[in-house]
Amino acid sequence: MSNWDSIVLLTVNLSNGVVNKTTLTDKSFLKKYLGGRGVATHYFLSKVDPFVDPYSPDNPIIFAPGTLTGTFVPCSGRTSIMFKSPATNRFFKTNVGGAFGAQLKFAGYDILIVEGKAEEPVYIYIENERVEIRSAKHLWGKDMRETNQIVREENDDDELQLACIGPAGENKVIYASVHASIYNAAGRGGGGAVMGDKNLKAIAVKGTKSIGVSRPKEFAATVKRLREKMEEASGVQPLSDYGTSVGVESTNSIGAFPVKNFQQSTIYNVHLLTGQYLVESGLLKRKVSCYSCPVACHRFVTVDDGKYRGTYCGGPEYETLSALGGGCLSTDINAVIKANELCNILGLDVISTGNCIQWLLECKQRGVMTDADADGLDLSWGNMDTVIELTRKIAHREGVGDLLAKGLKVAAEEVGQDSYKWAIQARGLEQSRVETRSAFAYALAFAVSSRGPDHLNTECLAEFGGAPEAIQLIERITGSKEYAYPYTTDKRAEIVRWHEDIYAAGDSMGICAFPTTAQHWVDEFDMADLYSSFSGIDVTAEEIMMSGRRVITLERVFSGILGYTRADDVLPYRMMYEKQLDAMHDNAINSPEVLDIMKDQYFKLHGWDLEAGLPTKEVLEELELDEFESKATFL
Ligand code: SF4
């Protein structure tokens, strides 16, 4: 097996059909950015005009598996997808599992950059050196399952891995998702709409090359040690047994499960929305994993009887059970699975879909809209027939679905009155199903994240201190176990920055966020050992974290160039101005004052300008990002 020695970028231009291959071999550059998300973020900021229209041919969409994706490192099969978001109008990174990234690596490519715009629907076919742009006219209008089946059949190849969009992406629903291996969604930010705008239905890839490792014995020993750590970590088995919905019941019991569009924090019969119930009821048919993951936290479920008999899909994940279940005031698990199936095959982000539907239901509750405004649908809380029909309508932009397809920011502007107060979005992104009024590190993380109010740049689960490993981590980050307490502003900045750094570095290496930020059996020291032995480039744990910080800083530079500042680091109105009901603590609000305390701490910790909340010249130099000083017009 040969040494690993470079990163290969494949560029496909859909406007002129030109295909290019570039090889990066500069070791000091690779050490600075590690690979995947790091290298792609550097590329984006270097090459793309920040003011580009998200629907311009000049807005590329980049697929970046991590450096370790395709190896046998546990939980290393993740791929970052980057573009300027039509939802937030900022640079956006989303992430997906499955086996697409591994196949791209086996084909010999570390990063795929798709530029331009095709005149008619196309898909990209990649098989090692063979890279073709093919007609997808026969695929346009097809759902995820049909697209995967047709492309595999016409190529007579069941092993092809697809990243593709459904009708929602074709119709440029602003939160349309990109799916890998059918049921793995890169849900957030509207990557599916960017692909749809490019007339890019799918990317089909298969490779037969091997991946070189520079120090195989050392690498194998590190992987062995990590597997032992994984077996000892307290959270791994429950995640494997019950999936991401393992924690629904405990979240509900501490008054932190968003219900009825964040108007309540608990729901009766919550057990029906849990991973445990999926097992007990026989709905769960099998566990599913991303490439090279022994944890297998994903689910595959079928509904075998009743009204929704014949429904089958991946999930439902924690976010789905809240967004399409509890959030709509329902515990009808079969109906949630039906709505989830529609999101899966039509290509919709479940969080944004759920938040938009809940907003519409609350519009009726508050007398701002009527059933007649929603094509005659009964907008009563808990009516799952309506939830399912709205999901379908959003994907096809039918009737009221067209309003919701624009996202909550625009929908609330169009409907007017006070409807912005219950639009659970900020900066164009619908908030993840985290009750930030009872989780202050999450509140800070959501406020400052380049993505918007969302957990997938910064999963701060450790602040709850729900496991011995979480408490140890908080002690390591803050100096005391007492900060494993989510109802305080103290030390949240330290907790958020650590999580941002490791999350970004993990994305660059392809490592899933569960081992780093939820189960805590991979830390920056392990990542340094993995990267050094794999690449032959020695890095320290500190350099791993610095690499992550470079990415976070570059994302902030991109936002700063666009004119966004500290004043834009906000949360949805409800989080900031309405106290959470039935909370377990007295301070259950993310008021501007509370956020300001934490933002001050966070910007100081970063060394950023306190007033603007933006990186300074000194910070860019310290992080060896001098090359971006001339672009950073706010300096
Ligand atoms: S833990 Fe779950 S999300 Fe992470 S790599 Fe494994 S299967 Fe994928």
Side-chain angles (χ1 to χ4, degrees):
M1 187 182 284
S2 59
N3 284 0
W4 179 88
D5 60 1
S6 60
I7 284 193
V8 179
L9 276 58
L10 175 69
T11 307
V12 178
N13 190 309
L14 298 177
S15 296
N16 56 22
V18 171
V19 174
N20 255 318
K21 202 167 123 174
T22 313
T23 305
L24 308 177
T25 55
D26 178 349
K27 296 278 192 292
S28 64
F29 176 81
L30 299 181
K31 184 171 176 167
K32 268 171 74 174
Y33 293 98
L34 300 179
R37 179 178 170 188
V39 171
T41 303
H42 178 273
Y43 176 94
F44 207 99
L45 209 72
S46 306
K47 309 271 187 202
V48 180
D49 176 2
F51 291 93
V52 70
D53 186 318
Y55 291 140
S56 159
D58 296 330
N59 182 24
I61 183 160
I62 304 180
F63 298 80
T67 314
L68 300 176
T69 303
T71 70
F72 64 112
V73 173
C75 302
S76 64
R78 308 289 304 185
T79 297
S80 294
I81 303 179
M82 280 157 272
F83 48 88
K84 189 173 177 193
S85 164
T88 66
N89 200 39
R90 298 187 190 211
F91 172 78
F92 203 95
K93 181 273 318 181
T94 181
N95 190 275
V96 72
F100 175 82
Q103 283 297 339
L104 192 62
K105 298 294 285 282
F106 297 149
Y109 307 108
D110 295 276
I111 293 177
L112 167 67
I113 302 157
V114 183
E115 303 172 335
K117 180 173 178 167
E119 282 179 11
E120 292 185 329
V122 296
Y123 78 95
I124 299 172
Y125 179 86
I126 301 171
E127 185 182 356
N128 299 332
E129 303 308 318
R130 191 170 156 199
V131 181
E132 296 170 2
I133 301 170
R134 297 178 175 178
S135 173
K137 278 201 247 179
H138 60 305
L139 301 173
W140 211 246
K142 303 291 186 204
D143 69 29
M144 299 287 181
R145 285 184 196 137
E146 293 165 333
T147 304
N148 273 264
Q149 188 183 345
I150 293 168
V151 173
R152 284 175 172 176
E153 277 177 7
E154 69 190 17
N155 288 286
D156 194 19
D157 191 342
D158 278 345
E159 288 176 18
L160 270 181
Q161 289 296 325
L162 268 70
C164 68
I165 60 169
E170 296 169 14
N171 294 326
K172 293 201 262 184
V173 174
I174 208 161
Y175 41 88
S177 45
V178 181
H179 287 221
S181 316
I182 305 181
Y183 298 125
N184 294 274
R188 314 247 62 201
V194 173
M195 274 180 72
D197 182 69
K198 291 185 179 305
N199 277 320
L200 177 61
K201 178 69 179 176
I203 299 155
V205 60
K206 183 184 154 184
T208 55
K209 299 182 185 178
S210 58
I211 295 175
V213 178
S214 294
R215 299 179 199 149
K217 273 192 191 159
E218 194 182 318
F219 187 60
T222 304
V223 173
K224 183 169 177 285
R225 182 172 60 74
L226 273 183
R227 283 186 178 264
E228 287 162 5
K229 273 180 87 178
M230 181 186 79
E231 274 158 26
E232 283 166 17
S234 64
V236 171
Q237 198 58 48
L239 179 67
S240 179
D241 289 343
Y242 302 117
T244 54
S245 48
V246 63
V248 169
E249 212 150 14
S250 56
T251 308
N252 193 68
S253 71
I254 60 166
F257 188 56
V259 172
K260 203 180 177 188
N261 202 27
F262 287 79
Q263 294 181 80
Q264 296 173 200
S265 311
T266 56
I267 191 167
Y268 288 119
N269 292 328
V270 72
H271 187 66
L272 301 178
L273 293 178
T274 61
Q276 291 84 338
Y277 183 73
L278 292 177
V279 174
E280 292 157 16
S281 62
L283 288 162
L284 176 74
K285 293 303 181 294
R286 63 173 189 271
K287 299 195 281 185
V288 180
S289 69
C290 302
Y291 184 84
S292 191
C293 177
V295 180
C297 79
H298 296 310
R299 317 281 91 179
F300 180 79
V301 293
T302 67
V303 180
D304 301 327
D305 46 38
K307 190 172 174 182
Y308 304 106
R309 188 166 178 265
T311 300
Y312 64 100
C313 61
E317 307 285 347
Y318 167 87
E319 295 286 333
T320 316
L321 290 159
S322 175
L324 297 170
C328 300
L329 206 57
S330 174
T331 54
D332 181 346
I333 185 68
N334 291 349
V336 174
I337 291 172
K338 182 68 199 173
N340 189 22
E341 179 192 53
L342 288 177
C343 288
N344 272 181
I345 64 174
L346 300 176
L348 287 168
D349 173 23
V350 290
I351 298 170
S352 293
T353 302
N355 285 19
C356 286
I357 291 172
Q358 290 162 52
W359 169 81
L360 188 66
L361 301 184
E362 193 165 342
C363 281
K364 176 180 174 182
Q365 176 194 331
R366 305 210 176 266
V368 171
M369 289 180 84
T370 64
D371 293 350
D373 295 322
D375 313 322
L377 292 170
D378 173 7
L379 296 180
S380 303
W381 286 106
N383 186 330
M384 290 303 285
D385 286 342
T386 292
V387 171
I388 290 164
E389 180 59 4
L390 284 171
T391 303
R392 194 192 62 76
K393 278 174 171 281
I394 292 169
H396 295 290
R397 284 186 172 266
E398 279 178 21
V400 72
D402 183 54
L403 173 72
L404 301 184
K406 296 171 186 174
L408 277 181
K409 182 169 182 286
V410 175
E413 280 165 10
E414 288 190 11
V415 167
Q417 302 185 54
D418 278 347
S419 69
Y420 67 92
K421 292 184 178 175
W422 55 88
I424 309 300
Q425 68 81 30
R427 288 169 278 153
L429 190 79
E430 290 73 24
Q431 174 156 319
S432 293
R433 309 298 301 175
V434 177
E435 182 42 272
T436 50
R437 293 170 293 185
S438 280
F440 280 29
Y442 274 105
L444 173 62
F446 282 24
V448 298
S449 169
S450 63
R451 285 164 60 113
D454 173 87
H455 60 300
L456 293 174
N457 256 5
T458 329
E459 181 74 83
C460 298
L461 208 56
E463 74 167 327
F464 285 97
E469 296 92 338
I471 296 171
Q472 279 167 20
L473 176 66
I474 294 296
E475 184 176 23
R476 182 158 79 82
I477 297 170
T478 65
S480 171
K481 291 176 183 169
E482 72 180 90
Y483 297 116
Y485 180 73
Y487 312 137
T488 176
T489 57
D490 293 346
K491 299 288 180 187
R492 298 307 100 173
E494 284 81 352
I495 294 170
V496 169
R497 191 176 73 158
W498 186 90
H499 282 82
E500 282 177 338
D501 291 350
I502 201 149
Y503 209 118
D507 280 346
S508 298
M509 292 172 64
I511 293 176
C512 170
F514 282 118
T516 52
T517 66
Q519 269 77 53
H520 315 295
W521 52 272
V522 176
D523 60 26
E524 63 268 41
F525 298 93
D526 301 316
M527 288 163 69
D529 289 346
L530 282 171
Y531 194 85
S532 301
S533 56
F534 174 77
S535 68
I537 302 169
D538 286 317
V539 292
T540 63
E542 194 187 351
E543 286 167 336
I544 289 284
M545 297 301 263
M546 280 301 143
S547 171
R549 198 165 305 162
R550 260 179 214 112
V551 170
I552 299 300
T553 307
L554 283 180
E555 289 181 351
R556 194 75 181 180
V557 167
F558 195 93
S559 295
I561 295 168
L562 289 169
Y564 298 116
T565 66
R566 171 187 181 128
D568 298 291
D569 296 328
V570 294
L571 291 175
Y573 180 94
R574 176 156 283 160
M575 305 300 129
M576 293 178 72
Y577 299 104
E578 293 178 14
K579 204 162 178 180
Q580 181 199 344
L581 299 178
D582 53 29
M584 300 274 286
H585 65 122
D586 295 333
N587 188 28
I589 190 162
N590 304 141
S591 65
E593 295 75 26
V594 165
L595 285 182
D596 265 337
I597 292 168
M598 295 192 289
K599 283 196 271 182
D600 276 348
Q601 294 167 356
Y602 176 82
F603 298 142
K604 266 187 209 157
L605 194 62
H606 267 291
W608 294 355
D609 180 88
L610 215 50
E611 201 176 324
L614 293 171
T616 60
K617 196 168 178 294
E618 292 71 33
V619 166
L620 293 186
E621 280 164 13
E622 200 181 309
L623 291 172
E624 299 171 74
L625 296 171
D626 322 38
E627 64 181 298
F628 294 102
E629 278 182 25
S630 59
K631 287 199 169 224
T633 44
F634 54 83
L635 286 174

